[in-house]
């Protein structure tokens, strides 16, 4: 036993992050502690780990040491889909270590997504495949056409379960017009047949939200939940009026449907988010829907989106839970992802809670001044500093 203790004492770690405030909301862990990293995994969390035991020592004094951020809704099929951004350089400056692409690629592009996006990235990348290849041919019956691609799309999920989480479906008058509900029904059939969870974009009626929710099952994700549009979870739109949850919303959560923010260029409204919180219906996941049309505002990055919920009164731990543990649970591919438990992947964010005067803007250009914002100081992924590729 003495020998064991001695060996334990002599152990040298790849990296030690010292003096930080460790926050691991998935297991309610919050204390000042040192974190040791070895072979890409969390090796120890103790109140004091001597610096001489680390090959690299990082001082996190005054910072929060949290699980690497997990962004459930992004577009990062960079270089292939026009709206996509590149994961690693953005993650390096924003604390995000895991990215989920929400339908920027089609079934026939899964191989390219794997080889050119997932493969070379330091970050962890997953995705939902788009429901259908494209709708550029106006001469075809589009519903028939989408139905004809079900097999190919379902098989793309089946053969790539390590990186493909399910199928992305767009529902809204501005997206697929009058075909939205038909596409949603096709998505449902595909989901059932191939055991593929759906991520469902909602924006404007028709169809009505209860019709959409009726087709959603346990494990499916409704994204853009605080958009304030007609397909929003609260019926008071962009107004300050408290409003009510639309029919079927509560029941959907009870049966295991997840509600995701997906901020983007048009899908986050302060009043809509505030009213949902007042009605006791916070989102399960806080995500960016980051793409080229929102990365220079109003979204910018995940810490900025998280700061908006902090401003709306959500606690730091609750915000963090929704941008680490919860989305990691939905991904469900990596043991310990979204936590800092010993043995979990060493995906770590060093975050600062900055005090000052900061301007935050929603998608309807409503601006607020806030006194606190979350900012990233260092991103560690798979036990290594995440750096922008040169
Ligand atoms: Zn999106």
């Amino acid at each position: 036993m003495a020998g064991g203790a001695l060996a334990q004492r002599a152990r040298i770690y790849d990296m030690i992050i010292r003096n930080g405030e460790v926050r691991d909301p998935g297991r309610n862990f919050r204390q000042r502690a040192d974190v040791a990293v070895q072979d890409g995994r969390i090796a120890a969390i103790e109140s004091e780990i001597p610096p001489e035991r680390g090959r690299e020592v990082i001082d996190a004094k005054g910072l929060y040491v949290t699980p690497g951020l997990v962004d459930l809704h992004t577009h990062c099929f960079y270089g292939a889909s026009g709206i996509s951004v590149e994961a690693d350089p953005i993650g390096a400056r924003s604390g995000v270590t895991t990215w989920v692409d929400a339908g920027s690629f089609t079934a026939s592009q899964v191989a390219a997504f794997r080889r050119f996006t997932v493969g070379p990235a330091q970050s962890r990348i997953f995705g939902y495949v788009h429901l259908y290849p494209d709708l550029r041919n106006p001469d075809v019956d589009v519903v028939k056409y989408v139905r004809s691609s079900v097999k190919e799309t379902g098989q793309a999920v089946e053969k790539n379960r390590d990186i493909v989480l399910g199928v992305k479906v767009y529902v809204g008058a501005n997206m697929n017009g009058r075909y939205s509900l038909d596409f949603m029904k096709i998505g449902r059939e595909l989901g059932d047949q191939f055991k593929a969870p759906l991520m469902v974009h909602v924006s404007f009626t028709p169809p009505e939200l209860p019709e959409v929710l009726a087709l959603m099952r346990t494990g499916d994700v409704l994204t853009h939940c605080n958009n304030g549009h007609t397909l929003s979870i609260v019926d008071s739109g962009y107004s300050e009026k408290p409003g009510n949850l639309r029919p079927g919303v509560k029941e959907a959560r009870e049966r295991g449907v997840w509600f995701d923010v997906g901020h983007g260029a048009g899908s986050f409204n302060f009043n809509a988010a505030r009213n949902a919180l007042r009605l006791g219906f916070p989102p399960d996941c806080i995500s960016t829907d980051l793409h080229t049309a929102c990365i220079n505002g109003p979204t910018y990055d995940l810490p900025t989106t998280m700061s908006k919920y902090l401003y709306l009164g959500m606690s730091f731990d609750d915000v963090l839970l929704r941008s680490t543990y919860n989305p990691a649970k939905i991904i469900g591919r990596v043991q310990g992802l979204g936590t800092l438990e010993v043995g979990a992947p060493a995906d770590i964010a060093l975050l600062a809670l900055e005090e000052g005067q900061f301007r935050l803007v929603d998608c309807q250009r409503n601006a607020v001044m806030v006194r606190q914002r979350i900012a990233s100081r260092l991103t560690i992924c798979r036990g290594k500093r995440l750096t922008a590729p040169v």
Side-chain angles (χ1 to χ4, degrees):
M1 196 172 144
L6 212 66
Q8 185 66 30
R9 211 171 298 138
R11 188 167 173 193
I12 299 293
Y13 298 112
D14 292 339
M15 180 190 283
I16 300 174
I17 302 162
R18 300 187 76 236
N19 306 317
E21 290 289 329
V22 178
R23 292 286 185 275
D24 188 2
R27 52 195 187 105
N28 246 323
F29 183 96
R30 48 190 345 262
Q31 66 184 62
R32 205 221 60 79
D34 297 345
V35 178
V37 171
Q38 180 70 34
D39 299 328
R41 300 197 169 271
I42 306 289
I45 299 186
E46 291 163 20
S47 55
E48 177 80 41
I49 304 175
E52 54 272 20
R53 289 179 59 191
R55 286 188 192 93
E56 182 181 4
V57 178
I58 294 167
D59 186 10
K61 195 170 186 329
L63 300 177
Y64 291 98
V65 180
T66 76
L69 304 180
V70 180
D71 197 338
L72 189 72
H73 186 155
T74 70
H75 295 276
C76 59
F77 190 29
Y78 179 66
S81 99
I83 63 162
S84 282
V85 297
E86 192 178 3
D88 283 349
I90 300 165
R93 64 174 191 255
S94 63
V96 179
T97 51
T98 300
W99 296 63
V100 178
D101 183 281
S104 318
F105 60 94
T106 64
S108 62
Q109 292 174 313
V110 175
F113 178 66
R114 179 187 291 282
R115 176 143 179 204
F116 301 115
T117 293
V118 178
Q122 298 173 62
S123 317
R124 296 173 203 277
I125 301 180
F126 302 91
Y128 288 86
V129 61
H130 199 91
L131 175 62
Y132 48 84
D134 68 63
L135 290 174
R136 275 174 295 189
N137 184 350
D139 296 331
V140 298
D141 173 331
V142 293
V143 176
K144 247 189 214 162
Y145 169 72
V146 171
R147 193 176 292 283
S148 74
S149 69
V150 160
K151 192 174 163 204
E152 187 199 355
T153 309
Q155 285 176 345
V157 178
E158 234 168 20
K159 289 180 187 154
N160 297 278
R161 290 213 193 265
D162 58 327
I163 58 167
V164 177
L165 308 179
V167 177
K168 176 79 181 288
V169 184
Y170 287 88
V171 175
N174 61 326
M175 304 301 291
N176 294 314
R178 58 201 159 102
Y179 306 114
S180 274
L181 197 60
D182 292 310
F183 290 180
M184 183 65 202
K185 286 176 184 163
I186 295 170
R188 177 71 274 143
E189 288 166 27
L190 193 165
D192 291 343
Q193 194 185 337
F194 292 90
K195 293 192 174 56
L198 306 180
M199 177 184 265
V200 180
H201 155 115
V202 289
S203 47
F204 298 92
T205 56
E208 299 294 327
L209 191 68
E211 299 177 278
V212 179
L213 289 172
L215 291 164
M216 295 182 70
R217 311 254 193 275
T218 308
D220 292 347
V221 177
L222 182 117
T223 188
H224 307 316
C225 67
N226 292 155
N227 63 28
H229 307 327
T230 46
L231 267 177
S232 181
I233 60 173
V234 179
D235 62 9
S236 53
Y238 316 129
S239 96
E240 282 177 26
K241 280 187 297 185
N244 292 299
L245 288 176
R246 288 187 198 277
V249 170
K250 252 191 173 150
E251 293 79 358
R253 173 167 279 177
E254 278 163 13
R255 69 175 180 273
V257 173
W258 299 97
F259 290 79
D260 171 59
V261 170
H263 187 307
S267 304
F268 173 84
N269 176 268
F270 278 123
N271 283 336
R274 185 185 290 113
N275 286 331
L277 290 173
R278 280 186 186 144
L279 292 164
F281 208 89
D284 297 300
C285 297
I286 297 175
S287 69
T288 58
D289 187 14
L290 207 61
H291 55 73
T292 52
C294 69
I295 191 166
N296 294 316
T299 310
Y300 298 103
D301 57 22
L302 186 52
T304 304
T305 304
M306 292 161 71
S307 300
K308 290 172 183 175
Y309 283 85
L310 204 60
Y311 156 75
L312 291 170
M314 197 181 269
S315 74
F316 181 65
D317 283 1
D318 281 347
V319 168
L320 206 54
L321 181 78
R322 289 161 172 76
S323 40
T324 58
Y325 183 76
N326 281 358
K329 206 158 57 176
I330 294 171
I331 293 169
R333 298 295 194 274
V334 183
Q335 182 74 32
L337 190 73
T339 79
L340 292 176
E341 65 196 22
V342 171
D347 293 2
I348 305 168
L350 268 56
L351 302 177
L353 207 50
E354 296 181 340
E355 309 274 340
Q357 288 283 321
F358 310 107
R359 190 167 179 271
L360 298 175
V361 185
D362 72 8
C363 297
Q364 282 68 40
R365 301 188 184 182
N366 301 296
V368 295
M369 292 304 292
V370 302
R371 301 216 311 260
Q372 274 191 325
R373 77 172 173 200
I374 300 166
S376 169
R377 289 285 184 271
L378 182 68
T379 312
I380 293 159
C381 188
R382 307 175 199 258
K384 295 195 170 73
R385 286 168 187 257
L386 189 54
T387 52
V390 278

